[in-house]
Amino acid sequence: MSSLSLTDKLAILADAAKYDASCASSGGKKRDSRDGKGLGSTSGGMGICHAYAPDGRCISLLKLLLTNSCIFDCHYCINRASSNVRRARFTAAEVVKLTLDFYRRNCIEGLFLSSGIIHSPDYTMEQIVEVARALREDHDFRGYIHLKTIPDADPALIEAAGRHADRVSINVELPTVSGLRRLAPDKSQDRIEGAMGAMRGAIADGHDARRRYRSAPDFAPAGQSTQMIVGADAATDREIVARASTLYERFDLRRVYYSAFSPIPDASAVLPLRRPPLMREHRLYQSDWLLRYYGFSPQEVGAAADPATGMLPLDIDPKLAWALRFRESFPVDLNRAPRELLLRIPGLGVRAVDAILSARRLRQLRLEDVARMTVSLRKLRPFIVTADWRPVALTDRSDLRSMLAPKPAQLELFAA
Ligand code: SF4
């Protein structure tokens, strides 16, 4: 390992980090160096991580593992102890150097750092914290830092991560306790949740301190997030949505990321042979939006799933699936209904609902007004009433689903 050049290590450890989806930076705090001091900026360009590579990686952060060696043996992970991959390891100083070099060349706006576990969780966490400490304290780096923490590490080290990072994440890994026990036998849900609870407390204390004393240091101002692997165990979409909702409630998370399990070389025999359809991951993200922005309860999102299998449909989005199942809630009168009912209408996003609410203060909305505020009326028509439109029997048609589902597209046989 010691004979590898920095470039070789970068190739191995940036590639190994691609399986981590939870690197977005929404909610980050603006820092800048326009006062002539410090280095880096998170302002301008609307935050960081808004660009993604085709495989889902954020491309404006330097996204690395400190090492892809690991003493744990999580079945779904390419870096597990029994995996046959080529190993590499950065020193903390090397990661600091790379981050500064990439930043100065204008390639990145920050760092996302995760790691396999070397020697012990504490030792690894010390190295991760040292990278962030050196960037912030020795180099006055003001770019974005997202650290993946190791739940088994000493709570003081996890707390130290929060002092230097904008965001920390602690992965729950799998949606169910049984899945975690089977596929990540070295990990424990209690320890993971204990670390998330401690981080929640530390973030809340940090906010309190900042309210009282403006000079109090920021503590993980972009909060904490987590990631769940989807499709490696038998958890249904309904279970995953329920778990995500509990996590949001209990730990005040900024985001739950869903990462479709991807088959790895030399995979363990307990894993499925194929990855779940990527569309499943997409439908879970849409469900997540329904929970966070559209006022749906986890039970309501769960009701959009197939009652027998607990899985969300892949051909239509979960909001449309819910509306088709609960047709008695429609049509909704766009000129009278409260915001929470407007948000239930398939095809109406939050911005369109806000536009409808402002416009209807001035006049009775007609179909042509709605057409100007939305992308397409096709999906809306069966579910709305306007001054000049009432769907009559359209909402109850037995073939409504097939009328609204996107038409299947022919796959390109020779697509790259
Ligand atoms: S602890 Fe992390 S790096 Fe190690 S095997 Fe498990 S998932 Fe992979």
Side-chain angles (χ1 to χ4, degrees):
M1 213 185 279
S2 54
S3 62
L4 293 176
S5 70
L6 203 56
T7 315
D8 290 337
K9 291 186 197 179
L10 187 60
I12 296 170
L13 293 171
D15 186 64
K18 74 183 175 195
Y19 296 96
D20 212 312
S22 61
C23 55
S25 65
S26 50
K29 174 182 183 271
K30 276 191 176 184
R31 299 173 204 265
D32 67 56
S33 47
R34 278 176 295 184
D35 56 4
K37 295 183 211 147
L39 177 74
S41 165
T42 59
S43 62
M46 302 284 289
I48 313 157
C49 277
H50 47 276
Y52 291 84
D55 63 359
R57 281 181 298 147
C58 282
I59 54 175
S60 56
L61 291 183
L62 179 59
K63 185 174 172 183
L64 290 179
L65 296 190
L66 193 64
T67 177
N68 64 343
S69 296
C70 191
I71 55 174
F72 283 11
D73 207 34
C74 308
H75 290 278
Y76 50 81
C77 178
I78 194 162
N79 303 318
R80 68 194 190 282
S82 58
S83 172
N84 197 18
V85 289
R86 198 173 173 213
R87 308 285 179 171
R89 178 180 161 186
F90 284 126
T91 62
E94 285 172 331
V95 177
V96 170
K97 178 179 176 338
L98 280 172
T99 308
L100 297 177
D101 285 354
F102 272 82
Y103 187 81
R104 289 194 175 106
R105 279 186 280 142
N106 217 12
C107 299
I108 57 157
E109 294 158 285
L111 171 70
F112 172 86
L113 186 62
S114 181
S115 182
I117 299 170
I118 13 162
H119 302 316
S120 69
D122 278 357
Y123 176 80
T124 313
M125 201 64 226
E126 274 167 20
Q127 303 296 302
I128 291 173
V129 169
E130 173 53 19
V131 171
R133 186 211 63 75
L135 280 169
R136 293 280 192 240
E137 293 181 358
D138 301 345
H139 300 279
D140 203 5
F141 181 71
R142 300 184 187 189
Y144 182 82
I145 299 180
H146 180 161
L147 298 181
K148 188 60 71 74
T149 65
I150 295 166
D152 301 84
D154 185 330
L157 286 167
I158 296 185
E159 206 251 327
R163 265 184 274 130
H164 299 299
D166 291 86
R167 173 169 287 182
V168 291
S169 50
I170 303 170
N171 285 359
V172 293
E173 308 289 8
L174 291 154
T176 60
V177 181
S178 57
L180 192 69
R181 211 175 285 138
R182 203 165 69 89
L183 299 178
D186 303 302
K187 296 190 172 179
S188 121
Q189 181 168 312
D190 288 347
R191 291 199 300 270
I192 293 169
E193 294 197 348
M196 290 169 102
M199 186 55 78
R200 178 196 175 142
I203 291 171
D205 290 349
H207 286 169
D208 272 0
R210 288 280 291 182
R211 267 198 291 272
R212 276 184 232 170
Y213 314 105
R214 290 209 52 192
S215 57
D218 260 329
F219 189 93
Q224 63 170 327
S225 58
T226 194
Q227 175 172 310
M228 261 189 252
I229 297 162
V230 172
D233 67 357
T236 63
D237 290 343
R238 197 184 290 134
E239 286 172 312
I240 292 171
V241 168
R243 175 84 171 120
S245 164
T246 310
L247 290 171
Y248 280 122
E249 251 167 54
R250 288 184 57 201
F251 303 114
D252 204 13
L253 297 180
R254 285 291 174 88
R255 284 294 301 275
V256 175
Y257 293 88
Y258 307 93
S259 173
F261 155 72
S262 89
I264 49 178
D266 303 323
S268 151
V270 299
L271 288 174
L273 291 174
R274 280 199 282 168
R275 68 178 297 155
L278 266 183
M279 186 53 83
R280 185 176 175 200
E281 191 184 284
H282 181 60
R283 297 294 180 222
L284 285 167
Y285 276 116
Q286 289 176 318
S287 310
D288 203 82
W289 277 66
L290 294 186
L291 292 178
R292 292 188 299 137
Y293 301 114
Y294 288 78
F296 280 71
S297 69
Q299 293 76 15
E300 286 175 311
V301 179
D306 183 296
T309 63
M311 303 301 264
L312 292 166
L314 296 177
D315 60 334
I316 55 173
D317 67 78
K319 198 173 171 196
L320 177 57
W322 184 85
L324 289 171
R325 188 148 289 155
F326 296 97
R327 295 186 194 199
E328 65 277 12
S329 311
F330 299 94
V332 168
D333 187 340
L334 294 191
N335 284 299
R336 293 170 199 276
R339 189 170 191 275
E340 55 274 21
L341 278 190
L342 296 179
L343 285 170
R344 302 266 155 156
I345 300 171
L348 272 194
V350 173
R351 279 168 68 180
V353 165
D354 290 340
I356 287 169
L357 289 170
S358 332
R360 78 185 191 183
R361 281 191 213 112
L362 307 174
R363 63 176 181 281
Q364 284 279 301
L365 296 181
R366 303 171 68 81
L367 218 45
E368 64 187 19
D369 300 316
V370 184
R372 278 195 292 272
M373 297 173 202
T374 57
V375 180
S376 154
L377 269 185
R378 191 180 69 92
K379 201 164 161 189
L380 287 179
R381 278 173 186 266
F383 301 105
I384 59 171
V385 169
T386 60
D388 60 341
W389 166 258
R390 182 168 285 277
V392 201
L394 182 57
T395 318
D396 298 321
R397 278 178 65 146
S398 58
D399 60 348
L400 188 57
R401 181 192 173 113
S402 56
M403 284 170 62
L404 297 176
K407 302 284 168 267
Q410 170 70 53
L411 289 178
E412 283 183 49
L413 286 176
F414 303 105

